[in-house]
Amino acid sequence: MQAMMRGVVGDFAAYNLLILFHYVLAAWGSYILAYYLTGNRPASVIAGVIYGFSAHHGMHLSQLSTVSNGWIPIAVYYLLKFTRDGGSRDGVMSVLMILASALSHWYSFVFTAVVFFGFMIIGQPGLKKDVGGTNRWTRAILAWAVPVLILSPLIIAAWIAKSEVKVGWLVEMGRMYALDPVRLILPPPSNPFFGTLVKPLNHTIPGNLTEGVASIGILAGTLGIISWFRKNPLTRAWCYVGLILFLLAIGPNLTILGKATGIPGPFLLWEKIPGLNLVRVPARFVGPLTLAVGISVATMLSVYSGWYAKGFRRILVLWIIPTIIIIETLVIPIPMKGKELYHPVFEELPRIYSETTGNTEPPDLIVHFPLMPLRAQFMYQQTIHGIPTINGSLSNPPEGAVDFFYDFNWSAEYLRSIDVDMVIYQRWAVLEQGFRIPESATGPASEWAGEFVEPYIFFSEIMGLKIGYEDENLTVFVL
């Protein structure tokens, strides 16, 4: 979708439109799933708000693939319809929605399977009339066999790539990017209403703010807890699905406010199961967990539909509760201005270029070094903050990318040949080893042949670039 839109409206507009689209898709998808299960519109609206406007979505605005979770409830909706009725249209739509989730992100593909089959298995004892039956399991397997067959080349390739990574390293990443349960009710730090209240606790968030924030809000969390104690079998089934997702989200070991408890989680086993271990960041189970909370709340509220059939109570359920939930979990992107993302000298580059070169024309091409993002925060540069990252659009650099930058034999002549006017070297973020000078290097570089050279020395002494500006954080080199 993004590839098609870029040619029409441009990169940034395409990205922003797709972000908005997936917000709507997630809210609408959870609404139609809840309405299919309950037949109650006000309760379904709350399900749509809880999932569609969750802080999990808001904190991943820089990662379109992660925000693309709207396909999950729609896929589950068509899968449930197909397994119940066997309609060919629902079967085709089930396959298409599963494919859409997989092509958006492998995580969405796996999450769809966990939510759907979790509900089928858990819901069967209490919902035999609505869920169980041999024919329905046959249809379910058929609906998944077709997209798995279509995607098999991609699945095998991803599986092989994952198997090359040591499980121990993945477990360590699981500890870094796991759900801290307290975060489910605390507002996100960038919430415009309550964010300042939790900023003193930001240092306890595992990993980074993007992965560590998991707010569903106090109101939605309270409604979710109440639904757990309802005897409605449909509600109870979705509560158990949510519990499974919660246990996976806490990662290999439970952490409370940044402190390890030593209590192991099922993710320790998950990472050792081929195929399932395509999901390596446990905190992202918060996405489907939020969906399960929304559906369980909707099914619980639908039982009491007579209580809010009209008057103020209907307004309460249809308007006031959703508004409070949105206020609690709202995430407002703000410029992350710090030494790694912004520097006042960026506003002075035309002046520096003119004073150093005598050229009154502004610089055309400015290269930021390092080219490849070394921190998750760099992802924000290419999206909501308007500072594109050159050759750094992949959150996971391809194999060999680091060696490519190590081995690349830069020269002033090469940079001029591609019309580079300035190089901004941000020394705090650079790879520790610096540049690796090839054994065959000649000229000034031959003195360091076969060795690693600190980039400052490389740019200033080997390449002979002029220094237009310098401080403790960065140096601006001019060609």
Side-chain angles (χ1 to χ4, degrees), residues 48-83:
V49 168
I50 290 176
Y51 183 61
F53 295 91
S54 69
H56 179 79
H57 287 160
M59 291 302 295
H60 285 86
L61 293 181
S62 62
Q63 296 170 309
L64 181 59
S65 58
T66 305
V67 178
S68 305
N69 275 343
W71 304 112
I72 298 175
I74 301 176
V76 174
Y77 164 71
Y78 280 111
L79 283 164
L80 291 178
K81 286 189 67 179
F82 176 62
T83 55

Side-chain angles (χ1 to χ4, degrees), residues 22 25 51 64-66 68-76 79 93-113 144 147 151:
H22 283 293
L25 187 69
Y51 183 61
L64 181 59
S65 58
T66 305
S68 305
N69 275 343
W71 304 112
I72 298 175
I74 301 176
V76 174
L79 283 164
M93 291 301 296
S94 297
V95 172
L96 291 177
M97 293 303 101
I98 293 173
L99 288 173
S101 67
L103 294 176
S104 296
H105 202 298
W106 285 121
Y107 283 56
S108 296
F109 177 72
V110 174
F111 292 160
T112 302
W144 278 92
L151 295 167

Side-chain angles (χ1 to χ4, degrees), residues 119 122-123 126-127 225-243 295-296 299-300:
F119 179 67
I122 297 172
L127 300 170
I225 293 173
I226 293 174
S227 66
W228 179 267
F229 295 99
R230 300 299 92 187
K231 295 182 179 180
N232 177 17
L234 184 61
T235 301
R236 184 61 61 85
W238 280 101
C239 285
Y240 280 120
V241 172
L243 178 61
I295 301 299
S296 64
T299 56
M300 182 268 291

Side-chain angles (χ1 to χ4, degrees), residues 110-165:
V110 174
F111 292 160
T112 302
V114 172
V115 172
F116 171 68
F117 285 110
F119 179 67
M120 287 283 286
I121 295 171
I122 297 172
Q124 215 167 174
L127 300 170
K128 292 181 180 179
K129 180 180 178 181
D130 298 323
V131 180
T134 304
N135 290 338
R136 288 168 185 150
W137 275 105
T138 302
R139 294 169 189 157
I141 294 173
L142 176 63
W144 278 92
V146 174
V148 168
L149 182 62
I150 295 173
L151 295 167
S152 56
L154 297 177
I155 294 175
I156 293 172
W159 192 343
I160 293 174
K162 176 69 70 171
S163 65
E164 295 176 354
V165 181

Side-chain angles (χ1 to χ4, degrees), residues 335-348 368 377-378 381 385-387 424 426 428 471 473-474:
M336 298 177 65
K337 291 188 176 181
K339 63 180 182 181
E340 68 271 29
L341 296 177
Y342 176 81
H343 193 288
V345 76
F346 292 169
E347 309 293 336
E348 302 293 328
H368 285 257
Q377 292 95 321
F378 268 122
Q381 292 188 352
H385 299 297
I387 308 176
I424 299 177
Q426 301 191 50
W428 67 271
D471 63 23
N473 292 322
L474 58 79

